[in-house]
Amino acid sequence: MRCNCEQNLRLELRTVMYTRNVMIRHVPVLVCDHCLTYELIPSMKSDLKKYVDAFSKQPGKISLSLTDYHELADLIYEVLAEGEYSEGILMSKLEYEIGERINLLLDLYKMAEKMQDEDWVRDIRERLSQLSVSLPEMSVMHADA
Ligand SMILES: [Zn+2]
């Protein structure tokens, strides 16, 4: 994926202050080193807005790690923590890890359905949706790398 200035965008985790009292750590963003701008991964925007809306209603300052709420953020955090990769390798590694995580969640899903645990089924479905919407974007980033 490229910036408007034609530079390659770099994936990194940032702490973002969304409102006066909501701070979210480990937000995956695409950074342009040339323009010094960053943008959110498109498929994560609506999820982030949901968390910010929910937490900004609570009193006091809130600081949370997105890795505790979002499967894709958690996965990106884990992969980036493993070390430095060139962009192409990073993207194929992420694609691989996303596939593995989806398989794991699908196994859990079957188990939850068998146990007729509706809350668990709903939770897993939500986690799967956090991962599935991101796949095409990751592929685009990979193709451009
Ligand atoms: Zn740029």
Side-chain angles (χ1 to χ4, degrees):
M1 211 154 152
R2 284 176 196 275
C3 179
N4 293 333
C5 75
E6 295 296 305
Q7 285 276 328
N8 280 322
L9 291 166
R10 197 163 45 79
L11 183 65
E12 81 174 39
L13 297 164
R14 290 238 168 139
T15 297
V16 184
M17 193 86 197
Y18 274 97
T19 62
R20 214 155 40 81
N21 67 330
V22 179
M23 191 173 89
I24 302 185
R25 303 190 309 280
H26 307 128
V27 179
V29 291
L30 300 165
V31 182
C32 175
D33 288 323
H34 182 70
C35 306
L36 302 174
T37 57
Y38 70 89
E39 53 189 89
L40 296 170
I41 293 174
S43 72
M44 295 185 75
K45 278 181 190 166
S46 64
D47 287 335
L48 270 164
K49 191 178 177 310
K50 203 168 63 188
Y51 304 137
V52 172
D53 287 349
F55 285 108
S56 59
K57 290 191 186 89
Q58 296 186 18
K61 284 199 189 335
I62 310 276
S63 167
L64 59 99
S65 171
L66 194 59
T67 60
D68 292 332
Y69 295 85
H70 201 285
E71 285 292 314
L72 182 61
D74 184 49
L75 215 142
I76 290 173
Y77 177 82
E78 277 179 20
V79 169
L80 289 180
E82 284 170 15
E84 299 252 338
Y85 299 104
S86 69
E87 196 186 340
I89 292 170
L90 177 65
M91 286 307 144
S92 50
K93 197 161 171 51
L94 277 171
E95 269 184 290
Y96 173 78
E97 295 291 340
I98 287 169
E100 291 285 290
R101 183 74 63 101
I102 287 172
N103 286 338
L104 178 79
L105 287 169
L106 287 174
D107 285 345
L108 287 176
Y109 190 83
K110 280 180 212 143
M111 202 188 296
E113 271 200 320
K114 205 175 284 176
M115 290 168 69
Q116 299 183 320
D117 187 332
E118 283 175 29
D119 288 343
W120 197 14
V121 166
R122 203 176 310 124
D123 177 63
I124 295 168
R125 199 176 283 154
E126 165 99 28
R127 288 170 186 277
L128 280 167
S129 78
Q130 292 169 352
L131 290 173
S132 55
V133 281
S134 59
L135 271 175
E137 289 165 38
M138 286 294 169
S139 310
V140 168
M141 289 167 74
H142 181 47
D144 275 359

